Amino acid sequence: MSSRIAAKVQEAAGPLDRQDKVRRRSIFSAFIRDPKALTGLIIFSVFVLVGIFAPLIAPYDPHASTFMPSQPPSWQHLFGTTNTGQDIFSQFVWGTRTSLSVGVGAAVVSTLIAFLIGVYAGLKGGWVDAVLNALCNIFLVLPGLALLILIESYLKNTTPVLNGLIIALTGWAWGARVFRSVTLSLANRDFVLAAKLSGAGSLRIMFAEILPNMVSIIAGNLIYSCLGAILAESGLAYLGFEDVASDSWGTILMWAQNGAALMIGAWWWFVPPGLAIALVCTSLTLMNFAVDQIANPRLRVKRRARKTHVLEGGLQHAAQS
Amino acid sequence: MRYVLNRLLFLVVSIWAAITLNFILPRLMPGNPAAIMMAKFQGRMPPQALHALEIEMGMASDKPMIVQYFDYLRSMVTGHLGLSYTFYPTPVSAIIRQSLPWTIGLLGVAWLVAVVLGTLAGIWIAWRRGSKADAILPIGTMFFQSIPGFWLGLILLYFAGFLHNWFPTAHAYGDDVTPGFNGRFILSVLYHGFLPFLVVFLGSVSGWIVGMRNNMIMTLGEDYVVFAEAKGIPTRRLIFAYAARNALLPQVTSIAIALSTIIGGQILIEQVFSYPGIGYQLTNAVTSEDYPLIQGMFLIIAVATLVINFIVDMIYGRLDPRARRRGATS
């Protein structure tokens, strides 16, 4: 991990002399040109579109139990029906909206918390840093899902929004740690000192000076937290710790489990939501791969080939054998 | 020595934080869950038990909060975790003793296999940069990591359990064997544990492959490795004694980071397979609103995580002298 941080620090500290705009555009075009990232972006966008246009796409009311129960997929019911006669496809479409909003919302909130705590600690140093860093380390090592379950046990039947908020409030530590170490490497740069001397406040330095220099790290953290939040929310809902009337992929899985979908062989009930979670998470991981590679050029293929090339062919042989 | 003391202090502080969370949370929550629950148990328990509960949940108003807090700390530290309601009057610690071995056994084995195999695979594909294996392994296993573990468990359970009857669908061992050190019991445990093992393994192996691959690529690019290669060091020695040795260091730290995720996954997987470990007990305790059991389970999960973290820190300190000298920044 320390090497990962070191690499990110290096990245952030790297091409500062170039103009911001140029760099940002090159990051974006590098992202789009990477086939992995592009695949991820396309898959994710499809789900986002489904979520946005959920009212238009869903053919029925997701809660209406007016259909034949336990029907396998057909043209009337693309994903079949539940054991109480609800249309699973409509539930799935509305679930897309819920699960994605929770994921994205939690990612934004937790990244913001991580940014504020991590960068502030890095800039201030001294005892402020020591206290915030200790807090961050404690949150980092406390088992996340167990803590979420503990909180859920006191709050009954939480809504997805509340769950997203709890996930964000407990899941910011990893980001804060990365942001802090990047900030430490930037805190004594001339442009930060200049801003300090010219009387800029902490917030201004954080957002105007530090933030533009860690865009790719922030992007990586957003993707990573979104993934974690979607998984955590679906897990909580599956365990039945979310309002059972909510529409989310995890809630569908919870109902499938309670409706004995496994035993009656209703695979159409529990396959789609899980597959959707898997697809969204894969798309996020693919994008994260690309962001990592932009942030850490060493991971790009060819580097080693070039090095061995310097030593000429004989070694290439040794490498092959 | 300073390093050890520093880490030890952190261990104590973080365990204290976990206990304090247990104390504060029920008092922070809106609607006073403790009062609602007390009303529920009124008349179903002997008065002494109710009184003990009141103290635990902070309902005994005759004492100031700070005194309650220190009482609570003392009872936690001395291992008095209270009595479970659902299994009244079984102490929470007895339930922990019962379920902890299952969790540690399942998680420990699956995790160890994933770390060893994943790291070896990572070394291999980093060396064979750009080969077929390098293209397939990270992406292929990454797909399994993106699948939520509990859902993968559901699918396997449906396919190999309900549809084909290859594996049992619940519990840690069959009804027809007597627990103890005998062959039939051990076989039954292995048979029941296989599917959950597979899920934990598939869910975590990718991280080790990709992590080790990336670390290896970093070290393989170092000048000392290139120099050793030029000097004609045998390939095997170059990979393991030169490159992998240094690439392993970040892996050790990843253990600590991955721990929290893998333990969370374990809770869900135990629920899917009705595997009688800590996670299964925790979720059941939430459903039955058994607060002493919930708090106890959370505490034991937290303490286990923190202690493993501490051990990893110690190992890291031994492996990397720089960490010892720098003190405890990481």
Side-chain angles (χ1 to χ4, degrees):
Chain A
M1 171 194 54
S2 53
S3 85
R4 234 184 105 184
I5 292 177
K8 295 196 164 174
V9 171
Q10 226 174 30
E11 185 274 336
L16 283 179
D17 41 341
R18 267 191 278 157
Q19 274 179 346
D20 252 9
K21 236 186 205 162
V22 176
R23 200 160 73 95
R24 223 170 291 160
R25 200 194 307 146
S26 78
I27 287 175
F28 187 70
S29 68
F31 188 79
I32 289 298
R33 260 186 280 117
D34 186 325
K36 277 184 201 161
L38 195 62
T39 317
L41 193 65
I42 290 172
I43 298 175
F44 192 72
S45 311
V46 169
F47 277 102
V48 169
L49 287 178
V50 171
I52 292 174
F53 296 109
L56 301 177
I57 297 171
Y60 308 107
D61 174 3
H63 298 289
S65 36
T66 47
F67 307 105
M68 289 276 286
S70 302
Q71 291 297 301
S74 62
W75 284 113
Q76 275 83 43
H77 303 288
L78 283 176
F79 292 168
T81 59
T82 68
N83 67 342
T84 55
Q86 293 169 321
D87 181 54
I88 296 172
F89 182 68
S90 304
Q91 293 187 340
F92 175 86
V93 170
W94 281 98
T96 309
R97 177 182 265 198
T98 310
S99 298
L100 284 190
S101 350
V102 169
V104 173
V108 170
V109 175
S110 83
T111 304
L112 186 67
I113 299 173
F115 181 81
L116 289 175
I117 292 185
V119 175
Y120 191 70
L123 271 182
K124 282 285 157 180
W127 68 268
V128 175
D129 182 31
V131 169
L132 289 179
N133 197 29
L135 187 73
C136 170
N137 280 335
I138 288 172
F139 267 95
L140 204 59
V141 288
L142 281 180
L145 194 70
L147 181 59
L148 286 175
I149 292 176
L150 180 74
I151 298 173
E152 296 284 335
S153 74
Y154 298 113
L155 299 166
K156 293 286 159 206
N157 299 327
T158 48
T159 57
V161 175
L162 191 55
N163 273 346
L165 200 63
I166 302 170
I167 291 167
L169 287 175
T170 52
W172 49 268
W174 170 245
R177 181 184 252 206
V178 174
F179 293 151
R180 174 181 169 266
S181 54
V182 176
T183 308
L184 283 179
S185 79
L186 293 172
N188 291 321
R189 294 295 189 94
D190 288 343
F191 66 94
V192 177
L193 292 177
K196 262 186 200 166
L197 288 177
S198 69
S202 293
L203 270 180
R204 197 187 143 70
I205 294 177
M206 285 163 75
F207 283 95
E209 307 295 337
I210 305 281
L211 185 121
N213 287 300
M214 40 198 250
V215 173
S216 67
I217 293 168
I218 293 173
N221 193 70
L222 273 172
I223 294 175
Y224 186 75
S225 332
C226 183
L227 199 158
I230 289 178
L231 280 176
E233 193 262 348
S234 61
L236 285 176
Y238 165 71
L239 289 176
F241 299 153
E242 192 170 278
D243 182 9
V244 290
S246 69
D247 313 287
S248 78
W249 290 334
T251 311
I252 302 179
L253 286 171
M254 190 271 295
W255 282 117
Q257 168 100 345
N258 284 359
L262 293 175
M263 256 177 277
I264 59 176
W267 54 268
W268 56 86
W269 197 352
F270 60 85
V271 168
L275 207 58
I277 299 170
L279 271 174
V280 168
C281 290
T282 307
S283 73
L284 288 168
T285 317
L286 285 171
M287 289 193 269
N288 206 24
F289 254 23
V291 171
D292 252 2
Q293 261 172 20
I294 292 166
N296 184 0
R298 272 222 224 177
L299 292 179
R300 275 177 227 160
V301 190
K302 283 189 194 123
R303 168 70 180 232
R304 181 167 156 74
R306 215 185 307 137
K307 273 230 168 180
T308 41
H309 189 71
V310 177
L311 291 161
E312 288 310 55
L315 278 172
Q316 199 76 42
H317 250 98
Q320 299 293 314
S321 61
Chain B
M1 199 54 213
R2 235 195 101 207
Y3 174 73
V4 177
L5 279 180
N6 211 320
R7 300 321 298 163
L8 206 60
L9 182 72
F10 178 67
L11 176 70
V12 173
V13 169
S14 42
I15 289 178
W16 165 78
I19 295 176
T20 307
L21 267 175
N22 253 345
F23 179 83
I24 289 179
L25 275 178
R27 289 162 177 82
L28 271 185
M29 293 299 167
N32 202 344
I36 296 168
M37 196 194 49
M38 293 300 301
K40 213 179 103 186
F41 285 94
Q42 204 80 43
R44 280 166 57 185
M45 267 184 190
Q48 305 96 297
L50 272 179
H51 183 67
L53 202 65
E54 277 171 357
I55 295 173
E56 205 165 292
M57 305 302 293
M59 300 295 292
S61 46
D62 52 329
K63 282 185 188 170
M65 191 71 103
I66 192 80
V67 178
Q68 288 177 32
Y69 176 60
F70 281 104
D71 282 351
Y72 186 78
L73 268 185
R74 179 153 15 96
S75 62
M76 289 297 126
V77 169
T78 48
H80 292 94
L81 303 179
L83 306 176
S84 158
Y85 308 152
T86 25
F87 306 103
Y88 191 80
T90 317
V92 169
S93 49
I95 296 170
I96 290 176
R97 258 199 306 279
Q98 223 171 56
S99 38
L100 195 59
W102 294 112
T103 298
I104 291 181
L106 177 60
L107 191 69
V109 171
W111 191 48
L112 217 63
V113 173
V115 171
V116 172
L117 286 185
T119 303
L120 284 176
I123 294 175
W124 181 56
I125 59 171
W127 186 254
R128 296 291 177 95
R129 206 66 193 287
S131 68
K132 267 208 187 91
D134 184 27
I136 294 168
L137 262 183
I139 301 279
T141 53
M142 191 195 71
F143 182 68
F144 280 109
Q145 199 176 23
S146 306
I147 297 179
F150 67 93
W151 184 69
L152 182 63
L154 282 175
I155 297 290
L156 282 177
L157 196 61
Y158 172 65
F159 187 76
F162 286 102
L163 211 56
H164 292 282
N165 281 319
W166 291 334
F167 288 95
T169 55
H171 306 307
Y173 54 88
D175 304 328
D176 52 338
V177 295
T178 40
F181 196 75
N182 58 65
R184 289 192 56 213
F185 175 69
I186 292 169
L187 273 181
S188 180
V189 167
L190 291 177
Y191 186 44
H192 281 74
F194 182 74
L195 285 184
F197 160 82
L198 199 64
V199 176
V200 179
F201 171 76
L202 285 176
S204 54
V205 73
S206 162
W208 302 111
I209 296 181
V210 174
M212 192 60 190
R213 172 184 178 273
N214 291 353
N215 299 339
M216 266 304 266
I217 286 166
M218 296 266 207
T219 45
L220 283 175
E222 296 282 345
D223 289 339
Y224 75 91
V225 174
V226 179
F227 177 68
E229 197 175 2
K231 213 166 62 168
I233 299 281
T235 309
R236 178 183 290 265
R237 201 171 140 68
L238 182 74
I239 294 178
F240 289 102
Y242 282 73
R245 240 179 112 116
N246 283 307
L248 267 176
L249 267 182
Q251 286 284 90
V252 176
T253 345
S254 313
I255 289 178
I257 299 298
L259 204 63
S260 162
T261 321
I262 199 171
I263 285 178
Q266 172 89 6
I267 296 174
L268 289 157
I269 291 163
E270 282 180 8
Q271 186 65 24
V272 170
F273 290 97
S274 308
Y275 203 80
I278 294 281
Y280 184 61
Q281 296 286 8
L282 174 64
T283 39
N284 285 353
V286 174
T287 318
S288 54
E289 304 190 317
D290 188 343
Y291 285 96
L293 193 56
I294 297 171
Q295 294 193 346
M297 289 298 163
F298 172 72
L299 194 63
I300 190 71
I301 293 174
V303 168
T305 317
L306 297 171
V307 168
I308 297 173
N309 252 302
F310 175 73
I311 297 171
V312 168
D313 275 341
M314 289 298 106
I315 296 174
Y316 192 79
R318 278 207 75 78
L319 291 180
D320 189 353
R322 281 173 304 179
R324 273 198 310 266
R325 242 178 296 136
R326 222 175 2 189
T329 42
S330 68

